Amino acid sequence: MKYRLKFEKSITRWDEAIPLGNGRIGSLVWGGPSALRFSLDRTDIWDRSTPMYTEREDFTYANLVKLAKDGKTGEIREFFDAPYQCPTPTKLPSGKLIFCFSDGDHVCSELDLETAEAKFAIVSEKGTSIAEAAIVESFCHAVTKTGMIRGSASADSFRVKLEHPDFGRPEEEEEQVYDPMHREISQGSLKKLHYPEAESGMRTVSEMTENGSLRKFQFFWFTQKVDAAFSYGIVVGKTEDRESTEVFYRIVTSEDGDDWLQDAIDALRSELGDGYEKCRIAHRAWWTAYWKKSRIRVPDPMFEKQWYLTNYLFASCSRKGEYPMPLQGVWTADDGKLPPWKGDYHNDLNTQLSYTHFYKANHLEEGESFLDFLWAQKDAAKQFAEKFYQTKGICLPGVMTIDGKPLGGWPMYSLSPTHQIWLCQSFDLYYRYTGDRTFLRERAWIYFQETEQCIRGLLQKNEVGDYVLPVSSSPEIHDDEAEAWLTPNSHYDLALLRYLYQTLIRFAGELGECPKKEWEEILSHLSEFSVNERGVLMLSPDESLEESHRHLSNALAICPLHLY
């Protein structure tokens, strides 16, 4: 497998950058010779402030249902969308390393998907000839979680600087005012976040090498306090010789241990002592093993390359023992603004479909990060079901923080209970691909049953005796207008309800358990899917999809639930 991404000119946007990652940290590399930027990120760096408004007593499903049935769209926005307009909670950008070359006209970039290594040529155009002035290589170590960069250029031809995000100061904090007419994908400038000024430090260490020469290691860093409980920082180690300069970095947080800053310096010193070449042996070995798990051959070379690119990005974003990928994976915007959509977890399609292909691609260990995360969030899901839905069982918010708290947003989707059933499917798929009956009994069976407890607490019978939810929707049909409340049950909700009860009954049979009578009773009183006069699956019992849409949630029964 020899696939590469190549760019002959300087990349000028962060969202078109070369992506490197190892499941914990990520680097977006872009820019020209005067400022070749390594925009750095780590998945678990968050401002976890309590979501504004979501602690109100009337932030409940019962109130949402009442307002929806009364057609009070304005009040719904003020109660349930307003929290999302607040700057926090949010994913945070970590900072950036910038290589500033004194010469060069543009940067040629290349990413090798097979080895997860990038190369950047700083080139100068002199007449019709192009001469390489310098080469920069980089990878995010697959095992040690350290970012590694090597510059093959004279030390006096460039400089390296570390920059922290430009947050606002505490004394500049202003009252947040909700404006329903102004809604952007980012909540504005990083200056809307107000933290103490970052603290910087520097240290130089010298040691004798085996051949008796003196070698210097320079360390520099910053630390940023977010609140009383959480701080983070970037620590950089640098060493140079006649042929090259090696720059290694770690993104660290106060949750890494009591001596998190010193531990990072010690680890970098050890790795710098080993050197770039030796370090990448283990890195390459990891990726070699990864690519041996699966491969494809298809007639269309672009489709084939896309498959390998997707699996490269997946391994860069998701690793066992780390948090699963949020909306932008391990890469956060570097444009002076808060991350798009807060860099959060959207459980109305984004998390589910990001973790769909890894089963058939045989990358189970990398995909387990999502299942482990969902299982670890059971307490948060229980609290949310009890407080918001006022039911037993578990349910995670459709749009949530890294610790499972609701962020608000368009409530038809961000607070829809059936997204939880779609999350359940990951447990079902894992069992079906592995055949692990211990996993079935001790994880999937329990997760499905506890989800059903919440859903059952919301169901009610309509005038013809079918079970329906009090209100229904289909992401993200009609945005957050009054028309977004579809006649229950939307086919999105109906498909998930039928899947939930069919799967519970199947699990019971496989485990030798008796299915609960109420499961069979509810399943028997869920309506069939509606099709229109053209034989097309509808959105709901009385509405068809008449135009293309970014979510095809009305077709969930066909794929990925396979009820048809």
Side-chain angles (χ1 to χ4, degrees):
M1 189 271 287
K2 288 288 184 183
Y3 285 115
R4 290 177 169 84
L5 300 183
K6 293 184 179 182
F7 302 88
E8 298 299 329
K9 295 292 185 180
S10 299
I11 301 170
T12 59
R13 294 170 53 101
W14 70 268
D15 52 356
E16 297 175 358
I18 295 291
L20 299 170
N22 56 27
R24 177 182 295 178
I25 68 170
S27 174
L28 293 173
V29 193
W30 59 289
S34 63
L36 181 61
R37 304 158 74 96
F38 288 75
S39 303
L40 306 181
D41 188 25
R42 177 169 150 166
T43 310
D44 57 347
I45 295 179
W46 269 73
D47 183 321
R48 308 186 192 193
S49 307
T50 300
M52 192 174 179
Y53 302 117
T54 62
E55 296 299 303
R56 292 165 50 161
E57 291 185 2
D58 45 14
F59 190 86
T60 65
Y61 188 66
N63 190 34
L64 176 60
V65 169
K66 181 179 184 301
L67 293 173
K69 290 185 174 181
D70 290 344
K72 295 184 177 180
T73 302
E75 290 186 38
I76 288 174
R77 288 170 176 159
E78 291 179 7
F79 275 103
F80 300 101
D81 184 44
Y84 204 78
Q85 306 310 304
C86 298
T88 61
T90 182
K91 176 78 188 66
L92 298 175
S94 300
K96 48 184 165 280
L97 272 169
I98 303 178
F99 282 63
C100 306
F101 287 87
S102 56
D103 191 17
D105 296 299
H106 61 267
V107 176
C108 294
S109 307
E110 179 176 298
L111 172 64
D112 187 334
L113 300 183
E114 185 174 20
T115 62
E117 297 174 46
K119 181 184 291 187
F120 308 91
I122 315 299
V123 298
S124 298
E125 298 179 4
K126 300 176 180 180
T128 58
S129 65
I130 297 177
E132 291 184 354
I135 297 292
V136 177
E137 301 168 273
S138 184
F139 62 91
C140 289
H141 202 292
V143 180
T144 70
K145 309 302 183 184
T146 298
M148 300 186 173
I149 307 168
R150 178 171 65 185
S152 300
S154 60
D156 59 358
S157 67
F158 70 96
R159 61 188 178 92
V160 182
K161 60 181 180 178
L162 174 64
E163 292 188 0
H164 55 75
D166 189 17
F167 298 121
R169 301 277 76 83
E171 61 273 13
E172 301 167 346
E173 193 160 1
E174 300 177 355
E175 182 181 359
Q176 299 297 324
V177 179
Y178 172 58
D179 180 2
M181 304 307 295
H182 184 74
R183 197 177 198 281
E184 304 291 341
I185 65 171
S186 169
Q187 302 313 313
S189 168
L190 288 174
K191 288 188 175 294
K192 285 190 174 182
L193 303 181
H194 302 92
Y195 306 135
E197 188 170 355
E199 297 181 359
S200 301
M202 182 179 293
R203 183 185 306 170
T204 300
V205 178
S206 300
E207 64 179 36
M208 297 297 294
T209 64
E210 292 181 357
N211 61 13
S213 62
L214 189 66
R215 189 178 188 186
K216 290 185 178 181
F217 300 93
Q218 182 184 22
F219 300 96
F220 49 100
W221 62 85
F222 75 80
T223 59
Q224 176 66 64
K225 185 176 182 180
V226 175
D227 56 37
F230 183 72
S231 300
Y232 75 92
I234 299 177
V235 185
V236 180
K238 176 184 173 184
T239 186
E240 57 189 47
D241 56 29
R242 293 179 181 177
E243 297 181 353
S244 66
T245 299
E246 296 182 358
V247 179
F248 291 5
Y249 61 88
R250 286 201 165 202
I251 307 172
V252 290
T253 80
S254 53
E255 296 179 347
D256 292 339
D258 293 337
D259 297 320
W260 54 286
L261 183 59
Q262 184 59 49
D263 289 346
I265 294 173
D266 293 342
L268 288 173
R269 181 174 179 178
S270 175
E271 289 176 306
L272 283 167
D274 290 337
Y276 190 92
E277 281 297 330
K278 184 176 180 180
C279 285
R280 73 175 175 183
I281 293 173
H283 168 79
R284 285 184 170 181
W286 189 94
W287 279 95
T288 297
Y290 177 80
W291 290 120
K292 284 183 177 179
K293 296 291 182 69
S294 59
R295 64 180 181 270
I296 66 166
R297 290 285 301 276
V298 296
D300 190 315
M302 290 302 294
F303 276 121
E304 184 171 308
K305 182 178 180 179
Q306 183 63 36
W307 187 87
Y308 283 102
L309 175 59
T310 296
N311 279 276
Y312 165 80
L313 294 171
F314 183 72
S316 299
C317 287
S318 190
R319 298 288 178 87
K320 180 80 170 178
E322 306 292 346
Y323 283 95
M325 67 181 94
L327 281 182
Q328 284 92 47
V330 292
W331 304 291
T332 296
D334 181 11
D335 57 0
K337 296 180 180 179
L338 291 162
W341 296 283
K342 295 177 177 279
D344 61 30
Y345 290 90
H346 264 53
N347 297 323
D348 65 350
L349 174 147
N350 294 278
T351 55
Q352 291 94 328
L353 291 188
S354 294
Y355 283 94
T356 294
H357 93 287
F358 77 84
Y359 307 99
K360 62 175 68 75
N362 196 28
H363 295 311
L364 296 176
E365 186 173 340
E366 290 72 34
E368 285 171 6
S369 71
F370 187 51
L371 293 163
D372 294 344
F373 175 71
L374 294 177
W375 189 259
Q377 296 294 332
K378 274 186 61 189
D379 285 346
K382 183 177 181 180
Q383 292 172 16
F384 185 62
E386 181 178 3
K387 186 172 182 179
F388 183 76
Y389 295 109
Q390 299 171 337
T391 66
K392 297 179 181 178
I394 60 173
C395 189
L396 286 169
V399 175
M400 71 182 195
T401 66
I402 196 171
D403 45 2
K405 294 179 180 177
L407 278 167
W410 292 347
M412 304 80 176
Y413 327 111
S414 68
L415 297 169
S416 168
T418 53
H419 302 326
Q420 176 67 21
I421 304 173
W422 198 353
L423 292 175
C424 286
Q425 193 195 24
S426 294
F427 290 85
D428 181 21
L429 289 172
Y430 188 86
Y431 163 63
R432 292 169 71 179
Y433 272 88
T434 65
D436 186 340
R437 293 182 64 81
T438 300
F439 179 87
L440 171 61
R441 180 172 291 279
E442 296 182 0
R443 290 284 176 99
W445 177 235
I446 295 171
Y447 201 80
F448 267 80
Q449 287 189 87
E450 294 187 6
T451 294
E452 190 276 335
Q453 286 182 323
C454 174
I455 297 298
R456 191 186 345 147
L458 302 176
L459 292 175
Q460 50 192 232
K461 282 194 172 182
N462 63 12
E463 63 277 3
V464 297
D466 289 334
Y467 280 104
V468 295
L469 292 164
V471 290
S472 199
S473 63
S474 184
E476 295 165 349
I477 298 295
H478 303 311
D479 296 340
D480 68 336
E481 301 297 332
E483 295 80 8
W485 300 109
L486 305 181
T487 300
N489 287 315
S490 71
H491 281 163
Y492 174 79
D493 288 338
L494 178 60
L496 288 162
L497 290 169
R498 295 192 71 88
Y499 168 78
L500 172 65
Y501 287 100
Q502 288 181 17
T503 305
L504 277 168
I505 293 168
R506 172 167 59 85
F507 281 174
E510 294 192 30
L511 291 170
E513 304 276 357
C514 291
K516 295 181 179 180
K517 291 183 178 179
E518 53 264 38
W519 298 345
E520 296 175 326
E521 194 268 337
I522 290 172
L523 181 60
S524 69
H525 288 86
L526 290 173
S527 68
E528 295 299 324
F529 297 101
S530 302
V531 295
N532 61 22
E533 67 279 3
R534 304 192 303 272
V536 175
L537 192 67
M538 299 172 69
L539 282 171
S540 68
D542 55 9
E543 183 176 353
S544 293
L545 184 67
E546 299 296 344
E547 59 186 20
S548 183
H549 195 266
R550 59 185 174 271
H551 286 247
L552 300 177
S553 301
N554 62 304
L556 210 66
I558 300 171
C559 183
L561 298 182
H562 304 297
L563 302 180
Y564 271 108

